Amino acid sequence: MALQVCFALSYPKQSQPHTPSPTSSSPKSIFSISLPKASSSPSSSSSTHKHHTQNYSNDPHQELLLSLSLSKRNLNLSILALFFNGFLPNLSKSVCAEGMELERYTDSKEGFTLLKPSSWVKVDKAGATVLFEEVGKGSNNVGVVVNPVRLTSLGEFGTPEFVVDKLIQAEKRKESTKDTEVIGVAERSDQGGLQVYEFEYKVDSTRGGLKRIFSAAFVASKKLYLLNIAHSDKPESPLDTHTRMILEQVLHSFDAAPMA
C-alpha cells in the first residue's frame, strides 16, 4: 500500500523551539501534559495485507520524518503517509524489569540504543530500520526508524505538543482510523543533554482495534530517530499496569549511542 498523501503545512508563529534543561535526565512524568480527545469518522478499510509483507504505508511517524527531512526554510511541508514499525542486531546486557526480562539492543552503525523484551523476535519490514514483535502477537511490537534530516535538534521543528499534533493528524487521515486520543506528552534530556520528546496516545481502527502507542523522537548528527511501541489495549483485554511499566522502561531507554 504505497499510498502517498501530500499537503501543505506551515509552522505556527506561536510554536517556538522548546529547549530542555541539560540537567534534567528524566521525563516530566509520563506524561505531564494531557490533551483532549480527537475523533474522526470511520471509513471503509482496504484489503488487509499479511503483517510480515506489508511495508509502512500510512505511518504518522514517517509523515513526521518527511516533514523534518525538508528544509526548515520552506514553510510548506510535503508529507507522505506511511505506516511504521522496526529493528537490527547487537544485543548486550540484560536486566529484569518488573518480572519481564529486558535486554539492551545497540545499533552502532545507526547510532541508537534501547531496551527491548528479550522474548520478542526481530522481523524484517520495508521502511523500518529495525522491528521486534511479540511471538504470536505481531500487533505488539517495538520499532525504530532512522533517516537523515536538515535539523540539528528536534526543538528547531517545534514543541512536543506541535509534533504530537502532526502525528495525530496523520493517524486521522488513515482510512482505517476510527478514533484517536492523546494521553500526554513529555520532554527529557538524555545523558549527553540530547533533547528527546515522548508521546502516548490511543488509536482505534478497523485494523487491530484499540491500541496504545508510545513514541519517542530525537535528532542527533543530522539524523531523525523515531521509536514506536504499539500494544493492544482492547476493552476485553486492556493494557495492564505491569505491562505498561515495562513499555515505559523501553520508552525511556531510547537514546543515542556512539557510532562505530
Side-chain angles (χ1 to χ4, degrees):
M1 292 173 50
L3 175 65
Q4 296 188 352
V5 180
C6 295
F7 63 101
L9 295 174
S10 61
Y11 289 104
K13 293 182 180 179
Q14 64 273 25
S15 294
Q16 299 297 324
H18 204 65
T19 305
S21 168
T23 59
S24 63
S25 57
S26 59
K28 303 172 186 174
S29 80
I30 182 116
F31 286 89
S32 59
I33 302 172
S34 293
L35 299 180
K37 184 175 181 181
S39 60
S40 61
S41 300
S43 58
S44 59
S45 63
S46 56
S47 299
T48 303
H49 294 279
K50 289 186 178 179
H51 184 67
H52 289 332
T53 58
Q54 72 180 46
N55 70 4
Y56 295 120
S57 57
N58 300 330
D59 187 334
H61 295 79
Q62 287 287 4
E63 293 201 11
L64 175 62
L65 165 66
L66 292 175
S67 296
L68 292 170
S69 299
L70 300 177
S71 172
K72 56 184 177 177
R73 294 179 182 178
N74 185 354
L75 297 183
N76 290 323
L77 304 178
S78 279
I79 294 187
L80 172 66
L82 292 165
F83 198 66
F84 133 72
N85 289 319
F87 259 72
L88 280 166
N90 214 358
L91 304 175
S92 59
K93 217 193 271 191
S94 65
V95 296
C96 187
E98 298 297 326
M100 178 185 285
E101 186 178 347
L102 297 176
E103 58 189 7
R104 174 66 58 179
Y105 173 90
T106 300
D107 186 333
S108 299
K109 179 181 177 181
E110 293 292 349
F112 68 88
T113 185
L114 80 167
L115 296 173
K116 70 100 179 172
S118 59
S119 61
W120 290 20
V121 297
K122 178 183 176 289
V123 298
D124 293 325
K125 271 293 179 65
T129 300
V130 71
L131 173 68
F132 289 112
E133 294 181 348
E134 182 177 359
V135 177
K137 296 181 180 179
S139 60
N140 296 341
N141 51 67
V142 174
V144 171
V145 170
V146 181
N147 279 91
V149 291
R150 298 186 182 185
L151 305 178
T152 56
S153 73
L154 201 55
E156 292 179 28
F157 182 65
T159 64
E161 295 78 19
F162 178 78
V163 174
V164 77
D165 182 61
K166 298 300 170 237
L167 290 175
I168 293 301
Q169 287 180 25
E171 290 281 9
K172 289 166 65 176
R173 283 193 300 275
K174 290 159 55 180
E175 291 184 354
S176 59
T177 299
K178 299 193 297 183
D179 187 51
T180 61
E181 179 183 359
V182 176
I183 306 301
V185 300
E187 181 180 357
R188 63 176 168 87
S189 296
D190 74 353
Q191 296 180 354
L194 190 69
Q195 189 175 27
V196 184
Y197 290 174
E198 295 182 344
F199 317 104
E200 180 185 0
Y201 58 94
K202 291 182 180 181
V203 175
D204 191 8
S205 74
T206 56
R207 300 175 185 175
L210 191 62
K211 287 185 179 181
R212 186 72 62 95
I213 308 295
F214 298 90
S215 295
F218 64 83
V219 172
S221 302
K222 294 297 183 72
K223 291 182 179 181
L224 173 66
Y225 296 80
L226 291 169
L227 167 70
N228 189 68
I229 305 168
H231 199 284
S232 176
D233 192 20
K234 299 178 181 178
E236 63 272 21
S237 55
L239 181 66
D240 61 89
T241 302
H242 170 69
T243 303
R244 178 189 172 87
M245 290 176 63
I246 294 170
L247 298 181
E248 286 184 4
Q249 290 189 52
V250 175
L251 178 71
H252 299 329
S253 70
F254 188 48
D255 201 352
M259 287 188 282

